[in-house]
Amino acid sequence: MATVAKAAPQPIPRIAPREDLNPYRIAQIQFDIAAEYLKLDPGLRQILRTPKRILEVSVPTKMDNGQIKVFTGFRVQHNIARGPAKGGIRYHPAVTLDEVKALATWMTWKTATVNIPFGGGKGGVICDPKRMSKPELERMTRRFASEIFPIIGPDQDIPAPDVYTDSQTMAWIMDTYSMTKGRTSLGVVTGKPISIGGSEGRHEATARGCLVAVEEACKVKKMSLRGATVAIQGFGNAGSIAARLFAEKKARVVAISDSRGGVFNSRGIDPMKAARYKERSGTVVGMPGTSRISNDDLLTMKCDILIPAALENVITLNNADQIKAKIVAEAANGPTTPHADEVLARKGVTMIPDILANAGGVTVSYFEWVQDLQSFFWSEGEVNAKLELVMRRAFHEVHETARKHRTHMRTGAYVLAVGRVADATLVRGLFP
Ligand code: GLU
């Protein structure tokens, strides 16, 4: 790659002394560090560190009581140098434009890290889906899809599930888009139900990719995954399936949690029982045979592998020096701040950064999109085998880049990813 510096490692740019928890500023700090390693031209830096396109929409929705509520939604396309924008849609009361800009930016680096031909995008709606009925969610989703219709499409920008959205959400978006176009468009979203062009293996892909990355990290650290203790923060799509897949590999899942708190058992928690319990009770808290643990204590408890699988900024300067895990694998986006990264690196913790650790989701989204465009579908075995290849190769490319630049895996991944996007931008040239 022409843009990767071959000289000695660069000093890490100074991070401001006070920790900033704004996710977009964090995304820019992470980018700036890589840009420094790559000695990127200042103009190119400006292009790559800001989103290409931002759309804010108002989403009027009829609620079940007959009243209209107007939600605010966003779709951000950070970069499309290597292919269409790609990334999920999040429903959460704490969504902000800066968060969506950060998440879109991270998608650009994520698709480049695993080398799939997409750019980065993200969407979000400020709402509390836990307090909305299914018909309310459907009406809000369809109106949001209609509002972002002008900028999405199979060769333009392809949404997918993220926090508190799922395959049903994607089905509504696919239908709204298709009805507006007057023809069925399978490739406009990924993470769909199998019956309408979804891919085998997509539902599990984020967790499976995370498992493969951890397996590779264990090999590098000469550590056995079998018998290793695992703590998982967050029990949504990524966290709950990770718990099951790690347990299948005979790792011991000693703690899990959700937004209401966590549970702990040093002899191990059965992830299937936990999922059934959460299905019934709405939380893992109170699961028989476990003791209660807070989300904060889960993060700093003694364990071999820590998997943050919920939201941003959970590993910060406040708790980084208390983390005891040997490996941290970020199934969530943005769980660790740049300051905390430095603390963990000094402690010798192996950090598998989000743009690698959770890239299995978007990788199988890419497979889903390819299958949709070809109308030719693969078996689960084929999907998983291809996913493993992508993840193992990406892990070692990141590890090697980090080693070469004598830095940690986050910066290794950024140097690799930013270098790829910079190369694509340079070779295309600036329009007009
Ligand atoms: N929301 C997931 C992520 O953050 C998946 C994105 C996708 O499949 O496009 O990576």
Side-chain angles (χ1 to χ4, degrees):
M1 266 187 309
T3 50
V4 175
K6 295 192 179 55
Q10 301 299 302
I12 292 169
R14 272 179 62 87
I15 307 175
R18 268 197 59 225
E19 193 170 38
D20 187 341
L21 296 184
N22 178 300
Y24 183 52
R25 282 197 292 273
I26 287 176
Q28 292 194 318
I29 290 168
Q30 293 162 332
F31 167 78
D32 290 342
I33 294 171
E36 218 31 59
Y37 274 90
L38 291 162
K39 296 201 182 83
L40 291 189
D41 162 84
L44 185 55
R45 286 187 202 206
Q46 283 182 60
I47 297 175
L48 299 182
R49 81 199 292 277
T50 38
K52 173 187 176 59
R53 190 177 281 144
I54 296 174
L55 178 63
E56 177 173 331
V57 294
S58 91
V59 188
T61 303
K62 188 173 267 174
M63 306 305 278
D64 291 342
N65 64 9
Q67 278 171 9
I68 286 166
K69 201 163 168 179
V70 181
F71 297 94
T72 301
F74 309 101
R75 185 74 192 171
V76 175
Q77 296 168 353
H78 171 259
N79 190 287
I80 58 168
R82 300 175 62 260
K86 185 83 193 79
I89 291 174
R90 172 174 298 200
Y91 290 171
H92 196 278
V95 163
T96 63
L97 177 56
D98 270 359
E99 184 194 37
V100 180
K101 283 160 72 177
L103 291 162
T105 310
W106 289 327
M107 286 309 302
T108 300
W109 313 136
K110 192 185 301 186
T111 54
T113 299
V114 287
N115 214 357
I116 56 177
F118 283 140
K122 204 82 171 198
V125 178
I126 308 168
C127 65
D128 191 351
K130 286 183 182 167
R131 298 171 68 158
M132 293 169 72
S133 70
K134 195 170 175 185
E136 287 172 341
L137 282 170
E138 175 171 357
R139 290 191 291 269
M140 185 189 78
T141 298
R142 286 185 179 279
R143 183 59 186 252
F144 177 61
S146 163
E147 295 297 341
I148 63 170
F149 175 85
I151 67 163
I152 63 170
D155 54 6
Q156 206 176 349
D157 181 358
I158 305 130
D162 195 75
V163 172
Y164 294 143
T165 54
D166 57 17
S167 60
Q168 176 63 76
T169 323
M170 296 307 116
W172 291 327
I173 297 176
M174 179 276 211
D175 183 68
T176 305
Y177 182 88
S178 297
M179 294 310 289
T180 311
K181 279 273 181 197
R183 57 180 152 80
T184 291
S185 175
L186 299 182
V188 63
V189 287
T190 58
K192 298 181 295 296
I194 304 281
S195 56
I196 52 168
S199 177
E200 296 290 347
R202 175 62 186 86
H203 184 62
E204 293 184 348
T206 307
R208 189 171 293 283
C210 183
L211 170 70
V212 174
V214 170
E215 282 176 338
E216 294 309 300
C218 284
K219 285 183 203 158
V220 168
K221 285 184 88 92
K222 302 197 174 16
M223 213 177 111
S224 167
L225 180 56
R226 197 187 174 92
T229 52
V230 186
I232 303 177
Q233 192 227 10
F235 209 67
N237 170 271
S240 67
I241 298 173
R244 177 163 64 71
L245 297 182
F246 277 81
E248 279 170 16
K249 293 285 173 185
K250 302 284 183 272
R252 184 152 39 103
V253 180
V254 288
I256 55 175
S257 72
D258 57 37
S259 60
R260 295 218 226 143
V263 289
F264 163 79
N265 183 334
S266 59
R267 284 177 320 221
I269 296 169
D270 180 340
M272 302 295 277
K273 277 192 190 146
R276 281 195 296 273
Y277 183 82
K278 187 176 164 80
E279 180 78 40
R280 281 198 310 275
S281 328
T283 175
V284 294
V285 176
M287 182 185 167
T290 62
S291 38
R292 179 101 196 236
I293 185 175
S294 70
N295 267 296
D296 286 347
D297 289 343
L298 180 146
L299 294 164
T300 55
M301 68 182 276
K302 198 172 169 303
C303 63
D304 297 314
I305 299 161
L306 173 65
I307 304 182
L311 296 169
E312 299 93 275
N313 294 333
V314 295
I315 304 177
T316 67
L317 271 188
N318 286 333
N319 60 0
D321 62 341
Q322 297 162 53
I323 302 283
K324 296 173 192 69
K326 300 184 184 84
I327 296 173
V328 177
E330 296 183 321
N333 290 309
T336 311
T337 64
H339 282 84
D341 269 335
E342 297 306 316
V343 175
L344 295 180
R346 274 202 298 279
K347 281 163 59 95
V349 177
T350 296
M351 162 64 72
I352 312 178
D354 47 7
I355 59 172
L356 172 63
N358 71 37
V362 74
T363 299
V364 177
S365 275
Y366 165 55
F367 298 158
E368 178 173 333
W369 178 77
V370 167
Q371 292 169 79
D372 289 340
L373 296 188
Q374 301 183 342
S375 291
F376 185 66
F377 291 88
W378 314 344
S379 70
E380 189 180 351
E382 279 175 273
V383 169
N384 289 348
K386 288 186 168 72
L387 169 63
E388 278 201 25
L389 277 178
V390 168
M391 290 304 300
R392 289 195 208 284
R393 191 195 57 215
F395 180 93
H396 289 286
E397 285 180 340
V398 168
H399 188 255
E400 184 51 26
T401 310
R403 199 191 54 77
K404 210 165 74 191
H405 292 274
R406 282 180 242 148
T407 183
H408 50 68
M409 295 261 292
R410 169 137 17 236
T411 296
Y414 269 77
V415 169
L416 181 70
V418 172
R420 282 176 176 156
V421 182
D423 275 354
T425 309
L426 285 174
V427 76
R428 284 180 62 158
L430 189 62
F431 176 87

